[in-house]
Amino acid sequence: MCQKSKQPAVRLVVADSVRDMGGGERFVLDLARHLPARGYEVTVFGYSGAPLHQRCIREGLPVRTARTRAYGAPWTVLPLIHWLRNLRPHLILTEYDKDLRTLALAAKLARIPVSVIHSRECDGSIKDRPWIRWFHTKVADRILVASEATKRSSLEGSDWLEPGRISVIGKGIDLAPFDDCPPIGDGPLRLGYLGQLV
């Protein structure tokens, strides 16, 4: 009887070097927790000692850290080139511009076959600077946004950015924790907001 061969895992590095814990970092944790069941090997790249780094360690999730204070600093990028050549990821997802200018840059300099997806978390236009254009067109293979509104604002004043390179994928929420909430009843409708106001 012939057994079906198992597909090799897709190696994904998710980069988030922010030193706070917000929605983006919770999204990274969700990817690291749940994508292995779908055939991915996920490694989180974060800032050493940050809450995201500590949570990954507590949960036993693969994590690599670096101190990425300066964009594209050689002392940050060069060790990452060696690490990426050994890991040989298929995909890199960068959450912030700092990650695009360090880890994604290292991936391109490592000359390994990898796709770089850059996630834009902010709703606003991209600054029109030569180096910013270069990172968004030569280092990032695709741009990921969570809404059509963010896609529109990303393209405003960025005639150098092709709309076809931007993909819209909404970020879902696990509603299970709210299953036990009591019904509202006949009283006034109450609206709540949970999030980071920045």
Side-chain angles (χ1 to χ4, degrees), residues 83-159:
W83 174 64
L84 289 167
R85 280 178 178 161
N86 287 331
L87 183 65
R88 300 194 75 80
H90 301 103
L91 290 169
I92 290 177
L93 172 63
T94 57
E95 283 285 292
Y96 296 95
D97 282 0
K98 184 186 289 187
D99 305 310
L100 181 63
R101 297 176 196 177
T102 51
L103 185 71
L105 175 62
K108 293 298 180 178
L109 294 174
R111 298 186 181 278
I112 56 174
V114 61
S115 295
V116 174
I117 304 167
H118 179 55
S119 178
R120 290 209 76 230
E121 298 294 321
C122 58
D123 188 14
S125 59
I126 303 171
K127 291 179 182 175
D128 191 7
R129 304 280 189 277
W131 63 91
I132 292 174
R133 286 190 214 172
W134 187 80
F135 275 102
H136 281 80
T137 57
K138 303 300 181 188
V139 178
D141 297 300
R142 291 199 71 79
I143 311 291
L144 178 66
V145 295
S147 69
E148 289 291 341
T150 304
K151 180 176 180 176
R152 284 192 301 272
S153 67
S154 298
L155 290 169
E156 285 175 10
S158 304
D159 54 357

Side-chain angles (χ1 to χ4, degrees), residues 20 22-23 96 121-123 193 195-198:
D20 300 319
Y96 296 95
E121 298 294 321
C122 58
D123 188 14
Y193 172 77
Q196 191 177 24
L197 294 172
V198 292

